[in-house]
Amino acid sequence: MELLKQKITEQGVIVSDQVLKLDGLLNHQVDPKLTMEMGKEFAKRFGDAGVTRVVTVESSGIAVAFATAYELGVPLLFARRKKTLLAEPDMLCERVPSFTKGIVTDILVSREFISENDRVLFIDDIIANGDAARGLIKIISRAGAELVGAGIVVEKCFQSGARAIRDQGIRLESLVRIASLDGGQITFAD
Ligand code: 5GP
């Protein structure tokens, strides 16, 4: 997506050779028009996959997952990161390391909203080491649902997450691929 590349170039802040801050469009502020375009693109790519449910992890994946679910005409389910007092005791739970927070957190999904009848599309904002994706993929599998693929807004190709997921035979589509952040510069992969 050329428009997305342009926005990333304009608004991305390189924090280190591993981390790109995208608060202006993904992780703090949301650009509704651009986000709806991302949803349209994912819906186009996975439109023939028979998706019944879009799943993401709170919080930064929610906006683009919403846009995708809206375009596909299916519900959006987001995994919670905190157990609330209203949470059911037997929620599906996986422990995942958080790339940006440097801590381990639980991600939780209620069995009420995902079942063996579902064909699930996983959507997320950024993939680095792939821990969040792996955790959610495990939850989808434990629910007995079928994962039809993963749609990621920004793939950092110099980290191992996307490759590892593809090596499992999972279809992973990203809108923008970043080859490197070396030398204080964003280099796109294609
Ligand atoms: P992973 O589990 O793939 O290592 O990391 C995925 C999550 O960490 C993403 O959902 C994203 O929120 C966060 N993350 C990973 N790398 C970056 C980055 O370079 N910049 C920002 N802003 N978030 C990142």
Side-chain angles (χ1 to χ4, degrees):
M1 271 184 84
E2 282 311 310
L3 179 61
L4 183 56
K5 268 191 195 170
Q6 193 188 317
K7 296 268 181 188
I8 289 172
T9 307
E10 285 166 10
Q11 297 186 26
V13 177
I14 297 169
V15 176
S16 69
D17 59 2
Q18 303 285 305
V19 180
L20 178 64
K21 200 170 173 189
L22 291 171
D23 281 4
L25 63 150
L26 269 182
N27 303 114
H28 197 18
Q29 173 173 264
V30 171
D31 178 333
K33 218 169 170 181
L34 179 64
T35 304
M36 291 313 286
E37 289 304 316
M38 296 180 205
K40 271 190 194 138
E41 183 61 31
F42 283 133
K44 194 168 89 185
R45 295 191 194 189
F46 290 98
D48 57 0
V51 176
T52 62
R53 204 170 291 273
V54 171
V55 176
T56 190
V57 185
E58 73 174 352
S59 56
S60 293
I62 292 177
V64 67
F66 170 86
T68 308
Y70 177 81
E71 293 295 334
L72 289 169
V74 299
L76 155 66
L77 177 65
F78 58 91
R80 291 245 165 102
R81 283 196 186 269
K82 279 207 181 84
K83 219 172 191 156
T84 70
L85 288 173
L86 303 176
E88 292 137 40
D90 71 334
M91 284 178 96
L92 295 158
C93 175
E94 287 291 332
R95 190 146 284 188
V96 296
S98 165
F99 183 85
T100 41
K101 296 191 192 92
I103 53 165
V104 171
T105 60
D106 287 339
I107 56 171
L108 301 120
V109 170
S110 168
R111 292 176 194 270
E112 189 182 341
F113 301 114
I114 186 164
S115 76
E116 65 276 4
N117 299 320
D118 277 310
R119 291 176 61 78
V120 173
L121 173 61
F122 167 59
I123 296 285
D124 210 0
D125 58 339
I126 302 174
I127 191 159
N129 298 325
D131 292 308
R134 254 188 303 279
L136 205 55
I137 288 168
K138 274 194 201 153
I139 285 180
I140 292 164
S141 156
R142 284 173 55 202
E146 189 168 340
L147 177 70
V148 302
I152 307 290
V153 178
V154 178
E155 172 183 345
K156 290 189 290 176
C157 307
F158 55 87
Q159 288 163 320
S160 63
R163 198 177 334 114
I165 303 282
R166 290 192 182 105
D167 285 349
Q168 285 182 53
I170 295 166
R171 177 179 172 198
L172 186 147
E173 297 266 346
S174 46
L175 300 183
V176 163
R177 301 174 71 231
I178 293 177
S180 122
L181 297 172
D182 292 347
Q185 200 177 313
I186 304 171
T187 307
F188 294 102
D190 39 45

